[in-house]
Each structure stands twice: as structure tokens, then as C-alpha cells.
Amino acid sequence: MLKKKYIYLTLLLSLVFVLTACAGKRHGDLSLKKGTPKADQMEIIQIELVNEINEKFSGDVKKALEYYAQEHKNNQKDDTIMLKQAILYIQDQKIDKAQKKLETIAKLKPENNNAKRLLASLYLSKGDVSKSKKIYEDLLDKEQTATIEDAMTLSHVYMLEKNYDEAMKVLNKAEKQFKEKHIVYFYKARVYSEQQDFSKARANFIKAKKYDSKYLPNIKALGYLEEYEGNYDQAYKYYERALKIDSEDDLMRLHLAELYLSQKKYKQSKKHFFKLYEKDNKNATYLSKLSINHYYLDEYAQSKRYLNELLENHPQYDVAYYYLGLLQEKTRDYDQALTSFSKVKEKNEYYVDANLVLAQILFDQDKKEQAEKHLLDTNKKTYSDRFIRALGRFYVSEGKLDDAEKILKKYLSKEGKNIQYLFSYAQILEEQKKFNEMEKILYSVIEKNPDHARALNYLGYSMLERDKNIDDAFVYVQRAHAIAPDNPYIMDSLGWAHYKKGQYAQALELLKKAHSNRSDESIIQEHIADTYAQMKQKSKAKVWYKKVLKMNSNEEDQKRIKEKLAEL
């Protein structure tokens, strides 16, 4: 898991460098402007050429190529014309022709460093690292004409070869040779990030920030680091700052909007997705994410609006029908919801979910036979164990425990004792209070898959509730917790196991942690109250029992909690 996180951060940091290379070329805009501080001759040639293509040839690269082919015939030794031809070939995706042209310039005019740089970049793009490296090494040997970009690119080439020591040597020399210290430290941080030494990477990003607090790639990289370490508030600040410097950076805005959404910051996410939507109001991603944000902000009318726009512009995007159905269910437009769910196609990943919700709506409308038939018919079209489990739960809720057992047994034999069915069957047996049979099934599940955390937890908790073999039950839930340490239900079970063993301090620690993850579960609150009661902390126990009474309206549960309160 740790390795995956490192790879993720390395990819995030690499994205910074890609975005830097793309600056000024967003939205397919070819136009560039002069006036860049200390623009070199190569930049000037590129700017003039792009503007010439736009103005003289209406953006037609092929016409420009024809024009410069004639110019080259008239001036065959003019390396500027040949360089323009090479750039045009690259734009026209004729890479081999561009390479030949640049190699010709290198032979005729070896002093043309700009052609060499473009040739080295081309080699690099084709994966010919050794040729690219040789050119950049030659460029850096000529200190009077060498540039910071030459040094940074050579360090990048060494990194591609995993030769981090050589990459750092180039950067150490560049630190003394060039005054753009922020760029040098930024690239040093990149080397460390490639080596997964993120503490040194951070130190160098911070040094770069001291030299230039507005250097965009560095601001983004610091944001990615904070995001990786889970410091989301700091990450937001860096990303927001980056957008203040460059408000047209749509990739950065999209990343920030997605991050806000993942962290349930729906207002902030909505704001950024709306800015993106204003630029491209038919983009499927923007429309769907705006709808999601409005949904979680309880702004259902706006959420429906964006989903309808999504379907209008992308009728093939039938997942929108699933979300629209959820919205309509939320606003109690049940007939519309049934229609929307029925439009989700079989190939869609939400097909099963849509039909499960559809069946639940029918069930809630007391159309139970129709709900049962829909589940059975849909299962024939697209077989899913989830339909079978839903039928099992349906029968249990109707008190048809024999039917539940029958359908699960039928599919157990069909599936060759599929583990998921076995587990579902065990749950049905517990509902029927057939505990011995339930235990046998769960033992077989665990035998087939020793890491089946839910089966271990279910078995252990059931034994705890029946005060059966507490020590064995403790071992089962302990094993489940080792497999799934962040699962709040398993935390609760282990806490309850400590309670049963009289280890109340350990119990309370786990139960409170479980509650922090699932504050809506009344059984966890009841377990906390029971633990405080055993610890003779009656006032705290009363507070927690009263929380259960507010949350749980079940008559039997209410009666039980009131009895416990009376005993305090």
C-alpha cells in the first residue's frame, strides 16, 4: 500500500512538469505573445512562426510548409528557414522529417544551439535518451551559451535513466552557474521525489519558494505534497494560490474541484466546477460533477437541471438516468424515478444498483409481488448475486424465512458454494435462530477464505451476543480487525469483546473510535453507554443512553434502553 502511495505522489509531482510545458497552449490556442522576460532566440522564432501561421496562412500548417519549402529552395543554407520547417513538421506530426531537417542544420551550422535543443527534445520524445543526453552535455560544456533550461533538461534525462547522482551533479553545478535558484531547487526536489525521499523534496520546494514565491510549478508541487500527506487545508491554499496566479489553468482547477468533492467540500467544489462549466457548458464531467455537488447540498432542482443538460448533450451517457432516479426518489417523485431507473442499460456499471433501487421503491409502495417479480426477471437477464441477496432480505423482511433459505440454497448449489452466497445464507440462518447451522456455514466460509473479515466478525459477534465461548469469539473479531482495522463495525465488535472480558478501558477506546467513524449507529452508542455504566460513570452513561433514545425509535429498543436508564 505504501508503494502505491509513493507512485501516486510521484505521478502527481510529474504532472507539475507536464503542466509547465503546456503553459500558454490551452484550449487549442496557437497564438503566442512576445514580451516574455528574456525570451531566447528559439522562443522568438516560435512566436513569430505561430503568429505567421495564424495571420498569413489562417492557421493552415500545410500551406505554411509549402511556402517555406519554396523559401528553402531559394535560400538552401538559411538555417532559420530550415528551423521553421522543422517546427512545422513537428506541428504536422511528421516527426521523421523534422528530425532529418534538424540533423541537417546540426551538420551545416553546428553553432545553431536552438536547432540542437529542438533535436535533443525530439530524440527524447522518441525514447532515444542517449542521443538527447549527448547534445545537452555538449550544450552545457559551452558555458557562455548554456541556459538554465539545458541544465534542467539534462537532469531530467539522467532521471529517466535512474541516474540520480548525475542528475544532482548537474543541478549542483547549475546552482553555482545560474541565478534562477528557484528553478534549480525545484528540480532538486523533483530528483528527491523520484527517489521517494519526500522530506528532502519538501525542503527543496520550500527553498524554491523562498527565492520565488510565485513560481507556479513549485506552488503546485507543494500542494501535491500536502495532499499526499493528508493536509488538505494546506493543499487547498496552495492550489487556490496557483489559480490566483493563473486563473486560466483548467487542469489545476479541475484537480482542485475533484479534491474538494472527494473531501465533501461541496460548496467549494461547485464553485470551481461552475467556472469550468462556464467555459465548456457541454462537458460531461462538469455537468455530472455539478449535479453531484448540488445533490449533496440538497439543491435538488439545480442537480436535476444539470443531469437533464447532460442527457440532452450526451444521450449515450445513461448513467445520468441512475443519478436522476436517485434524485427523483429523494424528492418522492417515485413514478418518474421508476422510469429513470428503467432506462439504465444492461451494460452500464450501475445497472444492478438501478434495478435494486427500483425494486425497493416497488416494495415500499406495497407492490411486493411486482418487486419480487422484477428482481427475478432482472436476474435472468443479468445474473448477479446481489439480486439473490436482495430477494433473501426481501423474504426475511416479509417473515418468509423458509423462502429466503430456499432461494439461497438453490443458488448455492448452482454456484458451487459461492462464498458470498454462503455468507448470505448464514445471515438468514441467524435470523431463523438456527445458530449451530449458521456457525457451520461461517466456518466453511472462513476455511475457504481465512481473510474473510466480515465472516470472522459476524461469527465472533454472534457468539459474543450469545455469551458463547467468549475467548474464541474474541480471537475471531481480533482476526477480523487485523484484516480490516478501519472498519467501524469490526471496531465495535472488538470493543464489545473487550467489554465481555471485563476490559472496559480498552473497550471504550475502540468503541469511541468506531463511533467517530459511524456516529449514526445507535448500537455503538449503546455499547459506549453500557461500558460507562460498568465503569460506574453513571452521568456519562445516561448521556449516551439518551442519545440512543433520540436516534432509535424501535419500540423494543426504546424499552430496553429505558430499563437500563432506570437501573443507573
Side-chain angles (χ1 to χ4, degrees), residues 492-534:
D492 172 67
S493 297
L494 185 55
W496 196 234
H498 280 293
Y499 173 93
K500 290 286 186 175
K501 289 170 74 70
Q503 299 164 347
Y504 301 122
Q506 296 98 313
L508 191 61
E509 182 181 351
L510 280 160
L511 292 168
K512 282 196 169 183
K513 191 174 180 182
H515 177 263
S516 69
N517 284 283
R518 285 308 304 259
S519 58
D520 58 340
E521 283 292 340
S522 62
I523 189 63
I524 298 175
Q525 294 177 339
E526 185 177 350
H527 286 165
I528 292 172
D530 290 343
T531 306
Y532 274 128
Q534 289 296 325

Side-chain angles (χ1 to χ4, degrees), residues 90 95 99 118-129 132 156-157 160:
I90 291 170
I95 306 302
Q99 180 179 325
L118 189 54
L119 180 58
S121 297
L122 193 147
Y123 283 144
L124 194 57
S125 70
K126 294 178 74 175
D128 197 337
V129 176
S132 178
H156 170 68
V157 173
L160 290 176

Side-chain angles (χ1 to χ4, degrees), residues 53-244:
I53 294 169
N54 286 337
E55 295 165 13
K56 193 171 181 179
F57 305 105
S58 302
D60 191 328
V61 173
K62 285 184 170 52
K63 284 185 179 178
L65 273 169
E66 290 172 6
Y67 172 80
Y68 280 108
Q70 187 59 47
E71 287 289 296
H72 177 57
K73 283 182 181 179
N74 299 331
N75 302 278
Q76 292 189 8
K77 292 185 179 180
D78 190 322
D79 53 325
T80 300
I81 291 174
M82 286 190 282
L83 182 55
K84 287 184 177 183
Q85 283 181 294
I87 295 168
L88 287 165
Y89 280 134
I90 291 170
Q91 289 189 357
D92 201 32
Q93 297 183 10
K94 293 178 179 176
I95 306 302
D96 290 339
K97 286 189 175 183
Q99 180 179 325
K100 287 179 182 178
K101 188 65 67 173
L102 291 167
E103 286 171 343
T104 301
I105 299 172
K107 289 177 183 177
L108 291 174
K109 296 287 182 76
E111 70 277 9
N112 190 325
N113 291 331
N114 290 320
K116 285 183 180 179
R117 290 184 180 104
L118 189 54
L119 180 58
S121 297
L122 193 147
Y123 283 144
L124 194 57
S125 70
K126 294 178 74 175
D128 197 337
V129 176
S130 59
K131 285 185 179 179
S132 178
K133 182 172 67 175
K134 179 68 171 64
I135 292 174
Y136 281 115
E137 286 172 341
D138 290 343
L139 287 167
L140 278 174
D141 284 342
K142 301 170 185 175
E143 292 192 9
Q144 290 185 340
T145 56
T147 67
I148 184 76
E149 288 80 10
D150 297 333
M152 299 309 104
T153 308
L154 182 57
S155 73
H156 170 68
V157 173
Y158 279 125
M159 277 192 285
L160 290 176
E161 296 180 321
K162 308 293 183 188
N163 193 342
Y164 302 116
D165 290 341
E166 287 300 319
M168 197 58 77
K169 283 180 185 177
V170 171
L171 294 170
N172 286 334
K173 185 178 178 182
E175 187 178 351
K176 298 174 183 176
Q177 187 176 356
F178 304 105
K179 63 181 181 180
E180 295 94 338
K181 307 296 184 191
H182 60 290
I183 298 176
V184 175
Y185 285 124
F186 173 69
Y187 271 80
K188 281 189 175 184
R190 182 181 177 185
V191 175
Y192 286 123
S193 70
E194 288 283 337
Q195 294 175 284
Q196 301 176 0
D197 188 342
F198 297 120
S199 60
K200 287 184 179 178
R202 174 186 284 277
N204 279 275
F205 283 135
I206 289 171
K207 282 182 181 179
K209 183 184 170 190
K210 287 179 180 177
Y211 280 97
D212 188 345
S213 61
K214 293 183 179 180
Y215 184 47
L216 260 177
N218 196 62
I219 294 170
K220 293 176 190 176
L222 279 165
Y224 291 131
L225 264 177
E226 297 292 0
E227 181 183 342
Y228 163 72
E229 293 181 351
N231 303 322
Y232 298 116
D233 289 341
Q234 287 299 318
Y236 302 145
K237 287 178 183 177
Y238 281 120
Y239 295 154
E240 293 283 8
R241 187 175 176 188
L243 286 170
K244 280 185 180 178

Side-chain angles (χ1 to χ4, degrees), residues 232-354:
Y232 298 116
D233 289 341
Q234 287 299 318
Y236 302 145
K237 287 178 183 177
Y238 281 120
Y239 295 154
E240 293 283 8
R241 187 175 176 188
L243 286 170
K244 280 185 180 178
I245 296 170
D246 184 1
S247 62
E248 296 298 308
D249 189 343
D250 292 346
L251 286 174
M252 181 76 264
R253 192 176 298 282
L254 178 61
H255 182 82
L256 177 57
E258 294 280 15
L259 179 61
Y260 275 135
L261 181 58
S262 71
Q263 298 305 308
K264 300 181 181 179
K265 302 278 186 182
Y266 302 119
K267 285 185 179 179
Q268 296 91 327
S269 178
K270 180 181 75 172
K271 180 185 79 172
H272 287 289
F273 273 118
F274 186 74
K275 285 183 180 291
L276 293 166
Y277 166 81
E278 285 182 311
K279 289 184 176 181
D280 183 359
N281 62 9
K282 293 184 179 180
N283 184 292
T285 298
Y286 306 159
L287 288 165
S288 60
K289 296 302 171 68
L290 275 169
S291 175
I292 290 169
N293 278 304
H294 282 293
Y295 175 84
Y296 284 114
L297 290 167
D298 297 331
E299 296 166 354
Y300 301 131
Q302 295 96 317
S303 185
K304 285 181 184 177
R305 170 199 154 186
Y306 288 116
L307 280 176
N308 284 321
E309 283 187 35
L310 179 60
L311 287 166
E312 183 181 335
N313 290 291
H314 305 276
Q316 77 284 1
Y317 200 80
D318 64 312
V319 68
Y321 285 116
Y322 171 68
Y323 290 116
L324 188 58
L326 291 179
L327 269 170
Q328 290 159 340
E329 182 198 18
K330 192 86 173 175
T331 54
R332 300 184 180 182
D333 299 320
Y334 297 118
D335 289 341
Q336 291 180 27
L338 291 171
T339 301
S340 294
F341 287 131
S342 68
K343 290 182 178 179
V344 179
K345 296 173 184 176
E346 285 184 50
K347 292 182 179 179
N348 193 289
E349 62 178 314
Y350 290 100
Y351 177 75
V352 173
D353 298 86

Side-chain angles (χ1 to χ4, degrees), residues 30-34 46-61 63-64:
L30 284 171
S31 62
L32 297 171
K33 295 179 181 178
K34 294 182 184 180
Q46 287 177 306
I47 291 168
E48 287 178 347
L49 180 58
V50 169
N51 288 340
E52 189 173 353
I53 294 169
N54 286 337
E55 295 165 13
K56 193 171 181 179
F57 305 105
S58 302
D60 191 328
V61 173
K63 284 185 179 178

